[in-house]
Amino acid sequence: MLSLSAWCLLDEELDAETLVVVGLTDRVHSVSSFPDEVTAAARRLAAGPAVALAHGLSAVNQAALAEMKASFALEVTGQVDLMRRSDFDEGVRAVIEGRTPQWSDEPPQTPIPT
C-alpha cells in the first residue's frame, strides 16, 4: 500500500483502500450505491442536533484551517524557491517538448527574500 508521503513525492495513484487508511476519506462506496449512501448520510445529519453539529463542525474547521494557513505559507515559500531554479524552466520545456526532464538541482539564480 502506498503511503501519503510516497503519493506526494512519487506522483502515484492512490486506491480507495489507501484513501481511507491515510485519512483522505472515511469511506468508499460503489458508483451504484453512492446516491443512496449520500441520501442516508444527509438524512442522518438532518435528524441530528443542528446546534451541536454546527459547533462541532466549526471546531473541526477552525483546527483544520489553522493548520492549512501554515501549510499554505510553507507551500508558497517552496514554490517560489522552485520557480527561481533552472529546474523549473527545464520542467516546463520538457513538458512542451514531450520529453523527460533532466534535473540539475542547481541553486536559485536570485536569493529568496526572507
Side-chain angles (χ1 to χ4, degrees):
M1 180 183 319
L2 190 65
S3 71
L4 188 55
S5 58
W7 170 67
C8 291
L9 295 172
L10 301 175
D11 190 30
E12 294 188 20
E13 291 186 19
L14 293 177
D15 60 23
E17 177 184 312
T18 303
L19 291 173
V20 173
V21 170
V22 300
L24 291 177
T25 189
D26 65 345
R27 63 195 74 175
V28 177
H29 302 287
S30 68
V31 172
S32 62
S33 70
F34 187 74
D36 292 337
E37 295 292 343
V38 170
T39 300
R43 286 188 176 133
R44 284 194 307 273
L45 287 171
V51 174
L53 289 171
H55 283 297
L57 182 59
S58 179
V60 168
N61 285 339
Q62 184 63 32
L65 290 175
E67 289 181 20
M68 283 178 65
K69 287 178 185 176
S71 293
F72 285 149
L74 185 61
E75 181 70 17
V76 167
T77 300
Q79 291 299 322
V80 168
D81 175 55
L82 293 170
M83 285 188 268
R84 291 175 182 228
R85 295 174 180 267
S86 61
D87 278 349
F88 177 80
D89 294 332
E90 168 59 15
V92 171
R93 271 191 251 98
V95 168
I96 291 169
E97 296 169 5
R99 61 177 174 78
T100 301
Q102 302 300 308
W103 306 121
S104 69
D105 292 323
E106 293 176 8
Q109 299 300 315
T110 56
I112 299 171
T114 54

